[in-house]
Amino acid sequence: MVFSSPIFLFLFLPLVLFAYLLTPRALKNTVLLGASLVFYAWGEGPYTVVMLGSILVNYLAGLVLMRFEGRVDARRRALAAIVGLNLALLIAFKYANFLANNLNILLQAAGLPLLNVPPVHLPIGISFFTFHAISYVVDVYRGEARAQRNPINVALYVTLFPQLIAGPILRYHDLAGQLGARPHTTERFAYGVRRFIAGLGKKVLIANTLALPADQIFALAPEHLAPGVAWLGIVCYALQIYFDFSGYSDMAVGLGAMFGFRIMENFEHPYVATSMREFWRRWHISLSTWFRDYLYIPLGGSRGGAGRTVFNLVTVFFLCGLWHGASWTFILWGLLHGFFLMIERLGVEDRLRRAPRVLQHVYVLLVLVLTWTFFRAESFGAAVHFLGMLCGVNSGALPQSVAMHATPAVWLALGLGIVCATPLGVRVHAAVGRTAGYLYHGAVALGLAAIFLLATISMASGTYNPFIYFRF
Amino acid sequence: MESSTTTSRTEWVMGILLVLFFLFVLVAPGIGSLTGWGQAVSSAEQRVLAPPPRLPRHLGELRAFRTALDRYWADHFGFREWCVQAYSRLMVLGLRTSSSVQVMLGRDGWLFYTGDGNVEDLRGATRIPAPELAAYALRLEERRAFVESQGGRYLLMIVPEKASVYADGLPYWAQTRRGPGRLDQIVDYLRAHTRVDVLDLRASLAAARETGRLYFQTDTHWTDRGAFVAYQALMACLRGWRPELQAIDDIGWRDAGWYEGDLARLLLLQHRLREPQELLALRQPVVLTSQELMASRPEMIGRGRFQLIESTHTNAPTLFVMHDSYMNFLAPYLPGAFSRTWFKWQPAFDEQAIRNLKPDFVVHEVAERFLMSSLRENPPGISTEQEALRAAFAASTDVRLAVTNAAAMAWVRRGAQVHFVEAPEGMDWVAEGPDPYVFLPAIAGASAGIPVVRVAMTSGVHTECSFLYMVEKQCAFLCTGRYLSEGFNEIYIPLTGGRVVGEIRFDPAETSGTYRLHALEIRMIPALPEFLAGMSPPVPVL
């Protein structure tokens, strides 16, 4: 189930909201857990068992870690075992086919018999709930949070439906307190509604509108591509992925607030960054901080000299790419990010800082164009060809025109996307919001209501499936 | 301090109002769905909306219930049509952007259909590969030869797309053609390499543009005026063969109110984008009698459903028309020149009817966009393809699969929407839905040769059977299939495109019902018959 679907918005969400609000405080977590399991099972059916199994094992592991308090070696071994188990689960479901395919290339070259691994279903959100589970056991191990005796709370932390399939990745120690008690106020609920509407608008009105030309352009055969079309495709994609992802995060924050949770922010206008280091402080913050806290710093961070730092960075970004998907294009995307962060650390950032600010932005945007191309393309070859188009090196024999894809709606979404990717709105609100009266707040509420209505009708229109000839 | 308090109160009030609005929008569709408010469902979608889901009786039915509820809710939530209409108005009338991927907004109110590869064809970006053209021409040549062997004349009448006549109504980016379209290629090839008579209406329609609107702006079809131009061109062509044919020319035009086109309906804006309609009025009425003939009646003349129209000119020639929706505009007056006219909706070429009726003319009317897709393989009676495959299959002793009785069904792995019942002379395959399929075992052993599947099956309806399979070094499935007619079918299907690997998915039909399978065999043949060898392999589908 996705947030921007009629079944979620017009059936699941109202039922869950009313059930939750009418439930006594002591049972609220149980209701929310039940709703989260239905939400997950709706899409994954029997694979919900995989998630439940993961929850049970990590819950027990938390209790074991608590029991081993004071026994350093035993705790360390227990932690290693449970983290290994979590990673094994992730590898089995997400990477088994990828690993087998790559191994088979080597085996074939060596003339050895090939592995026959049947296609493995990828349970949605497995990357997210596995990282949540790891966060739980590591936080308990580190003493940053107490192990939960109540399995419902552990299950709710892992499955909380607002963040279950698209994040943000919540750290257990941030949420532990809220699982026990959290305030339910009108202001908080209203804030949640505002954030949810903003997220839905980002997703449906901007990301979905830009997805159409982006998908069409990236699916074009080489002979139909042209530099202008390629640029339109990559710009649409860059904005699509940002508004899609940050829209989901906003909806997660908003839904969380409606249920009394304070969920961490995941994006902070990343496209205005002036370096790739700054970009990663603004993009998918929950993932970058997770990798920082649970991998980069434990590996030694930047404390072991230049060589060690480079190794740590490359390792983190290799895994970051792999986390996004089992494909070499994702890995290359991660490694490219790691490369640019590395050269920035090795002195490029200092030189950048001395350059005009506009050049710093241009640098970041060009790096993003390069890396998003690998992220989006179906294969390495397709990405290289697409980059050739962007540089004007290649051109198709039967090129399409920009006007074919850039409808007035796409131009409008591009314009809105570019403005909303900057912190302009936040700054205006910060400057005016506190002192403004009815007119301003009325206009904001009216604007949000209009966005919600537009997003709703746009989403509803997605269910309209007419045929020119009658279908029985 | 006071100002801050006022602001926070203001913010709070506005927040509450927004929350109320939010909750209202969340619950309104559900209430609408329960009470029936806002549940009006347009017939414009031209499909049967999803039925209510059946409650699951056990865990195994949960998945089906979930899918059914998803579909039902997506089709039936309250105020859905209002939302869709509002969206369409906003996009089309407000933003000048089509709300449907099937419709392209042109200039000055013109709408164009984008389905069936139309857009790429408009740009001249579609090329029919030479082998495909050759196979296409071969099939038409077989039809022509067959019709002539029955004493008639065969004419291929191609109805141009609206964009081929009103290219100036297209958006600017679509007006520059980069090469010849499919229609140019086909017409040129047929004229150069076959004896098939082709009526290409583009020149006649282009010349008649000044007389009035020949195509609807908001519909895929031509107007009565366009249809009459086509009629005149058709009659001129047929009179070249039989000069005694009398064409109608004493006509007038009358206003007939507003027309709501199919493209406007696709946008759900048929009430906003309607256009005036002009109807042809015959000054001297044509006296015709009409009756519908069906295969199940004693007058059985061929396969499926026919419309027979008789005129008072009992000595005039006879006409057999295979057609699509464009011919409906000519149907009221075209039969006036013939003693008997049989109309048959495509797509299958009904050689049985032509054999029985022996019409003087066989006109095969086809819209430009269906040129490739509508001309499938000829029936076994006249198809040299099937004959050649049958001979190669019979000559082969390399049998890889033979499902001819219930015991052999053990080789077949059940997929979905189908179960089997033992029956005399074979097995009844009962298709429970529109997408029944099973899996046939992988073709084991040496890789030399090409697998050919023989399907002997009795069907109660016109449908299509297909095979999905993977070939070595390709990540996509290839799909190939053949039409099944009502009654007994024996068809031979080569699985080309490379060495077939893995299980083969077999979809026996596209319609629920019972299909009696007499035999399903796979044999390897050393190579395809020469004239089929150049044909392009099936198109990857996934």
Side-chain angles (χ1 to χ4, degrees):
Chain A
M1 209 184 296
V2 291
F3 297 157
S4 52
S5 67
I7 194 107
F8 176 84
L9 207 59
F10 301 142
L11 192 63
F12 180 84
L13 185 57
L15 288 178
V16 172
L17 272 177
F18 285 113
Y20 183 81
L21 294 175
L22 295 175
T23 301
R25 192 172 290 267
L27 291 175
K28 282 192 187 299
N29 281 0
T30 311
V31 167
L32 209 46
L33 174 62
S36 299
L37 291 175
V38 170
F39 176 86
Y40 191 77
W42 200 257
E44 287 304 306
Y47 287 91
T48 310
V49 173
V50 175
M51 187 175 68
L52 289 174
S54 166
I55 291 167
L56 180 67
V57 168
N58 285 286
Y59 165 71
L60 295 174
L63 294 180
V64 168
L65 286 170
M66 197 165 67
R67 196 176 199 140
F68 286 172
E69 217 162 83
R71 294 162 60 186
V72 177
D73 281 350
R75 278 169 66 85
R76 190 175 294 156
R77 278 198 295 274
L79 179 72
I82 187 62
V83 170
L85 211 59
N86 278 311
L87 292 177
L89 183 79
L90 190 60
I91 290 167
F93 280 99
K94 190 166 179 176
Y95 303 108
N97 290 121
F98 176 70
L99 292 172
N101 290 344
N102 285 287
L103 200 57
N104 277 344
I105 293 170
L106 298 176
L107 292 173
Q108 193 167 28
L112 295 168
L114 304 185
L115 293 173
N116 186 13
V117 179
V120 180
H121 173 78
L122 176 64
I124 193 167
I126 191 169
S127 307
F128 287 99
F129 73 69
T130 305
F131 272 34
H132 276 109
I134 292 174
S135 171
Y136 172 66
V137 289
V138 172
D139 284 1
V140 170
Y141 169 81
R142 286 176 177 170
E144 290 175 2
R146 300 281 303 161
Q148 277 283 354
R149 290 187 184 278
N150 183 351
I152 289 175
N153 284 355
V154 179
L156 183 59
Y157 161 65
V158 175
T159 65
L160 187 63
F161 80 84
Q163 50 75 47
L164 178 55
I165 56 171
I169 302 167
L170 308 176
R171 256 76 60 79
Y172 178 67
H173 62 257
D174 288 337
L175 213 69
Q178 300 180 53
L179 289 169
R182 54 189 177 275
H184 294 89
T185 62
T186 315
E187 288 80 4
R188 190 126 201 88
F189 193 90
Y191 170 76
V193 168
R194 286 200 297 271
R195 286 300 296 267
F196 182 83
I197 291 175
L200 190 71
K202 280 179 170 183
K203 160 74 184 149
V204 175
L205 300 179
I206 299 180
N208 286 3
T209 306
L210 296 177
L212 190 67
D215 288 348
Q216 285 174 342
I217 290 168
F218 272 92
L220 284 179
E223 70 260 31
H224 296 315
L225 265 178
V229 175
W231 273 104
L232 178 70
I234 193 65
V235 170
C236 284
Y237 181 67
L239 289 171
Q240 178 211 339
I241 194 168
Y242 168 58
F243 283 101
D244 197 303
F245 203 175
S246 74
Y248 259 100
S249 293
D250 284 346
M251 286 190 270
V253 171
L255 287 169
M258 289 182 219
F259 296 111
F261 287 99
R262 196 178 290 276
I263 291 179
M264 73 178 292
E265 295 296 337
N266 213 12
F267 292 88
E268 204 187 319
H269 305 100
Y271 288 161
V272 300
T274 51
S275 70
M276 291 312 290
R277 277 180 74 180
E278 188 187 350
F279 174 80
W280 277 102
R281 284 197 291 268
R282 293 169 174 269
W283 177 272
H284 203 173
I285 299 164
S286 66
L287 179 72
S288 53
T289 51
W290 193 99
F291 271 113
R292 183 196 65 200
D293 294 347
Y294 296 113
L295 185 64
Y296 182 69
I297 290 173
L299 281 173
S302 53
R303 288 162 299 169
R308 181 71 195 183
T309 304
V310 166
F311 171 79
N312 292 345
L313 267 177
V314 170
T315 305
V316 165
F317 276 92
F318 171 83
L319 293 174
C320 179
L322 197 59
W323 182 87
H324 282 82
S327 154
W328 282 107
T329 50
F330 288 125
I331 292 172
L332 191 60
W333 171 82
L335 288 175
L336 280 169
H337 275 276
F339 169 77
F340 284 103
L341 282 166
M342 187 180 72
I343 61 167
E344 283 179 13
R345 273 186 179 275
L346 295 177
V348 170
E349 193 176 12
D350 294 336
R351 289 183 197 168
L352 263 178
R353 292 280 163 255
R354 291 195 289 271
R357 202 169 170 80
V358 66
L359 282 185
Q360 297 173 32
H361 288 301
V362 169
Y363 154 75
V364 170
L365 292 175
L366 285 178
V367 170
L368 291 174
V369 163
L370 170 74
T371 51
W372 284 139
T373 301
F374 283 99
F375 195 85
R376 178 62 179 80
E378 294 296 325
S379 64
F380 180 77
V384 171
H385 187 269
F386 199 90
L387 285 169
M389 283 287 167
L390 293 173
C391 300
V393 177
N394 302 330
S395 189
L398 292 163
Q400 295 188 347
S401 67
V402 169
M404 187 172 171
H405 300 279
T407 59
V410 168
W411 285 122
L412 182 64
L414 275 172
L416 279 173
I418 290 168
V419 172
C420 295
T422 69
L424 189 68
V426 177
R427 285 183 188 157
V428 169
H429 189 70
V432 181
R434 285 195 179 282
T435 53
Y438 270 105
L439 199 62
Y440 175 80
H441 291 293
V444 169
L446 210 60
L448 284 168
I451 288 171
F452 188 49
L453 204 58
L454 285 174
T456 304
I457 63 168
S458 171
M459 186 196 66
S461 77
T463 67
Y464 182 63
N465 187 18
F467 291 96
I468 197 159
Y469 314 108
F470 197 86
R471 300 275 172 108
F472 294 93
Chain B
M1 187 69 192
E2 194 178 308
S3 162
S4 170
T5 311
T6 311
T7 299
S8 70
R9 196 185 310 126
T10 308
E11 213 172 345
W12 189 86
V13 170
M14 291 304 165
I16 294 299
L17 288 176
L18 186 64
V19 166
L20 291 175
F21 177 74
F22 175 75
L23 293 177
F24 170 75
V25 174
L26 285 196
V27 299
I31 292 172
S33 180
L34 287 174
T35 60
W37 297 338
Q39 269 238 290
V41 172
S42 169
S43 58
E45 286 188 273
Q46 304 218 89
R47 67 183 171 94
V48 177
L49 300 183
R54 204 176 57 183
L55 283 174
R57 286 166 299 187
H58 51 83
L59 277 177
E61 288 185 355
L62 268 176
R63 194 178 187 86
F65 170 75
R66 176 190 59 97
T67 309
L69 180 57
D70 257 338
R71 287 187 185 149
Y72 176 78
W73 189 255
D75 277 357
H76 294 276
F77 63 84
F79 305 101
R80 172 173 177 263
E81 182 157 339
W82 181 88
C83 288
V84 176
Q85 263 177 356
Y87 178 75
S88 219
R89 281 182 192 189
L90 184 77
M91 293 297 280
V92 177
L93 306 176
L95 288 175
R96 294 289 305 144
T97 300
S98 177
S99 58
S100 165
V101 290
Q102 299 180 71
V103 182
M104 180 165 67
L105 305 188
R107 301 170 59 219
D108 306 323
W110 286 93
L111 302 180
F112 295 92
Y113 183 57
T114 60
D116 304 301
N118 254 346
V119 174
E120 289 309 293
D121 198 31
L122 285 174
R123 298 176 56 245
T126 312
R127 298 274 190 281
I128 307 170
E132 213 171 310
L133 262 180
Y136 188 88
L138 171 73
R139 288 171 185 173
L140 283 173
E141 187 61 24
E142 284 174 356
R143 292 181 181 196
R144 182 201 61 75
F146 171 74
V147 172
E148 288 185 5
S149 75
Q150 301 299 310
R153 294 295 295 257
Y154 177 75
L155 177 69
L156 178 66
M157 173 179 167
I158 303 169
V159 180
E161 282 300 303
K162 179 161 66 178
S164 294
V165 180
Y166 287 99
D168 48 337
L170 289 165
Y172 286 115
W173 61 262
Q175 290 188 12
T176 313
R177 204 181 255 274
R178 292 182 181 271
R182 287 181 295 192
L183 180 54
D184 294 310
Q185 266 190 293
I186 287 173
V187 170
D188 291 348
Y189 191 91
L190 290 177
R191 286 183 176 154
H193 297 93
T194 71
R195 291 167 54 205
V196 176
D197 291 297
V198 183
L199 177 57
D200 179 1
L201 292 165
R202 284 178 295 180
S204 307
L205 289 163
R209 273 186 50 160
E210 298 307 316
T211 61
R213 188 161 287 165
L214 305 176
Y215 283 78
F216 290 110
Q217 281 198 303
T218 63
D219 195 282
T220 47
H221 296 95
W222 49 24
T223 59
D224 265 17
R225 240 179 228 284
F228 191 70
V229 171
Y231 167 78
Q232 289 174 310
L234 173 63
M235 290 307 291
C237 186
L238 298 181
R239 287 173 74 175
W241 293 327
R242 296 287 288 268
E244 74 272 23
L245 281 173
Q246 292 181 352
I248 297 164
D249 53 10
D250 190 12
I251 57 155
W253 300 98
R254 64 182 173 85
D255 289 334
W258 296 96
Y259 186 79
E260 295 175 355
D262 55 9
L263 295 173
R265 275 205 310 275
L266 281 179
L267 299 171
L268 210 57
L269 290 175
Q270 63 270 34
H271 305 308
R272 296 295 299 264
L273 299 179
R274 57 192 187 161
E275 57 185 309
Q277 185 181 13
E278 206 180 28
L279 288 182
L280 181 142
L282 298 171
R283 295 222 169 91
Q284 290 182 333
V286 178
V287 181
L288 301 169
T289 55
S290 167
Q291 59 178 307
E292 193 167 288
L293 304 178
M294 290 181 69
S296 57
R297 290 178 53 182
E299 305 92 323
M300 193 176 94
I301 45 175
R303 293 174 175 143
R305 193 184 292 256
F306 294 81
Q307 191 77 24
L308 166 62
I309 299 181
E310 293 175 291
S311 78
T312 50
H313 303 299
T314 50
N315 294 324
T318 56
L319 172 68
F320 185 88
V321 187
M322 289 178 292
H323 66 97
D324 54 31
S325 53
Y326 288 84
M327 184 54 76
N328 295 344
F329 290 76
L330 284 72
Y333 50 89
L334 174 65
F338 304 90
S339 59
R340 296 180 129 201
T341 306
W342 294 272
F343 286 104
K344 165 130 200 211
W345 201 282
Q346 285 183 27
F349 183 78
D350 196 338
E351 99 288 356
Q352 196 180 327
I354 294 165
R355 216 185 281 277
N356 290 340
L357 302 170
K358 303 223 175 333
D360 296 303
F361 302 112
V362 174
V363 172
H364 179 187
E365 177 270 307
V366 59
E368 182 183 345
R369 66 174 176 277
F370 297 132
L371 265 177
M372 295 307 291
S373 59
S374 70
L375 193 89
R376 303 295 290 266
E377 192 179 356
N378 284 328
I382 65 167
S383 168
T384 45
E385 289 173 53
Q386 282 293 299
E387 283 306 316
L389 284 169
R390 185 204 304 266
F393 187 90
S396 169
T397 53
D398 190 356
V399 180
R400 298 304 177 95
L401 177 73
V403 179
T404 51
N405 55 32
M409 288 297 289
W411 291 101
V412 176
R413 185 164 73 83
R414 195 176 150 188
Q417 296 188 11
V418 65
H419 67 270
F420 316 107
V421 180
E422 214 167 331
E425 299 172 16
M427 294 287 295
D428 277 347
W429 290 36
V430 183
E432 298 146 5
D435 189 23
Y437 61 89
V438 298
F439 293 98
L440 309 179
I443 297 170
S447 61
I450 291 165
V452 174
V453 191
R454 171 179 173 259
V455 180
M457 183 179 268
T458 301
S459 169
V461 291
H462 283 278
T463 184
E464 189 174 355
C465 72
S466 53
F467 292 87
L468 272 92
Y469 57 98
M470 288 190 88
V471 295
E472 207 170 37
K473 295 177 186 167
Q474 269 215 32
C475 295
F477 281 99
L478 301 182
C479 181
T480 184
R482 293 291 185 279
Y483 284 118
L484 293 175
S485 306
E486 282 178 38
F488 178 75
N489 298 267
E490 184 176 14
I491 51 178
Y492 295 84
I493 304 173
L495 306 182
T496 56
R499 192 172 86 84
V500 179
V501 292
E503 288 185 315
I504 300 163
R505 177 175 148 163
F506 172 43
D507 295 22
E510 287 185 328
T511 316
S512 54
T514 301
Y515 302 86
R516 181 157 300 170
L517 185 81
H518 307 284
L520 177 68
E521 293 178 75
I522 300 180
R523 291 185 193 181
M524 302 298 283
I525 63 170
L528 279 177
E530 198 178 334
F531 67 91
L532 288 176
M535 285 184 70
S536 34
V539 181
V541 290
L542 289 171

